[in-house]
Amino acid sequence: MSDRMSIGDAARHLGLEPDTLRYYERKGIVPTPTKDSAGHRVYTETQLHLLEVLLHLKSTGMPLVKIAAFTRLVASDPDGVPERLDLLRDHREQVIQEIESWQHSMRVINRKIEDYNQRLGGHGPQ
């Protein structure tokens, strides 16, 4: 990765569409990137790292409102770790609960598959 990326390159790197990045920016979910002399968005490695973190928060179910709050905390005080740490710890607890719920669901699904396989005399799809 180069030191600076256009919005298209950054979006590809993150697995998003440029319009999605623009939308998140307008909503305050992600910080506004720096702009070059022509007014085009330019993403630095540090900004991309933050975007990756924010996308992981989103993919693990953190509401966009809380992601925006995290982004505001980063922007208002880059060294203000305690508030961000609290947000992340709270979210981690939610993720742990979700994982436990999914694991329970997986056990139920596996039992049903096993039950149906036995009904088919063990000849059905695994």
Side-chain angles (χ1 to χ4, degrees), residues 34-89:
T34 54
K35 295 193 177 175
D36 63 15
S37 58
H40 297 113
R41 291 166 176 82
V42 178
Y43 294 85
T44 64
E45 191 170 334
T46 300
Q47 289 167 324
L48 282 173
H49 173 72
L50 176 58
L51 288 168
E52 288 170 344
V53 170
L54 299 175
L55 290 173
H56 282 288
L57 295 176
K58 181 181 177 296
S59 74
T60 55
M62 182 180 274
L64 293 180
V65 170
K66 286 192 176 185
I67 295 172
F70 185 87
T71 300
R72 282 191 302 278
L73 288 169
V74 171
S76 66
D77 184 5
D79 296 322
V81 172
E83 296 87 355
R84 285 181 274 162
L85 186 57
D86 287 344
L87 240 171
L88 290 174
R89 283 180 174 154

Side-chain angles (χ1 to χ4, degrees), residues 92-120:
R92 179 178 60 191
E93 287 306 311
Q94 294 295 317
V95 170
I96 288 169
Q97 289 175 12
E98 189 71 18
I99 289 169
E100 289 171 356
S101 175
W102 278 72
Q103 287 173 333
H104 173 74
S105 295
M106 183 58 79
R107 286 189 297 274
V108 169
I109 292 166
N110 284 337
R111 280 195 304 267
K112 288 313 290 179
I113 289 171
E114 193 175 305
D115 176 50
Y116 292 148
N117 275 331
Q118 286 178 358
R119 289 181 191 191
L120 292 172

